[in-house]
Amino acid sequence: GGGVLLAAASVALVQEPGGGKQRAFYAKAHTAAVTCLAADAAGKMAATGQAGPDSKVCVWDAETCAHLSEMLCPHSDHAVAAVSWCSDGERLASLGSDPLHTLCVWLWRGEEGEG
């Protein structure tokens, strides 16, 4: 924890404070630009959303950058516009940039979404 999350193309990064070490989440999961990201309240997990026809949300460990889960979004050919964690860390919301602004709430450990 304690790092800053940022995205560059299809990669998400954790930059340690003071110009220290940088860790990257390169999972094969992201095949297009990362459009949004969010850390959970504890700063232990991160979620990233991507653009393109195969829009998805990835969950990863912010300490080790290990890929934990992936959810395919029903946003059609549109990007994931935003991701946000619920305070319990068990649920994750994603908002699509589709014309209906589809909102999904995911039980990310089980990869089940409620649209």
Side-chain angles (χ1 to χ4, degrees):
V4 175
L5 291 174
L6 57 131
S10 62
V11 177
L13 303 165
V14 179
Q15 175 68 53
E16 291 301 322
K21 146 174 125 164
Q22 192 177 71
R23 297 182 307 279
F25 172 64
Y26 292 106
K28 295 176 186 174
H30 283 305
T31 56
V34 173
T35 55
C36 55
L37 47 84
D40 73 335
K44 303 250 184 232
M45 294 179 294
T48 47
Q50 81 170 36
D54 297 318
S55 62
K56 61 182 101 181
V57 173
C58 293
V59 176
W60 48 285
D61 184 305
E63 302 274 331
T64 66
C65 293
H67 184 231
L68 302 175
S69 188
E70 180 178 316
M71 288 79 61
L72 296 177
C73 298
H75 307 310
S76 185
D77 291 335
H78 297 82
V80 179
V83 289
S84 182
W85 291 90
C86 294
S87 60
D88 63 8
E90 296 298 317
R91 291 169 292 153
L92 178 66
S94 66
L95 181 68
S97 63
D98 57 307
L100 298 176
H101 304 293
T102 306
L103 174 68
C104 294
V105 178
W106 305 95
L107 297 171
W108 69 270
R109 292 184 198 273
E111 300 182 13
E112 297 174 16
E114 302 170 12

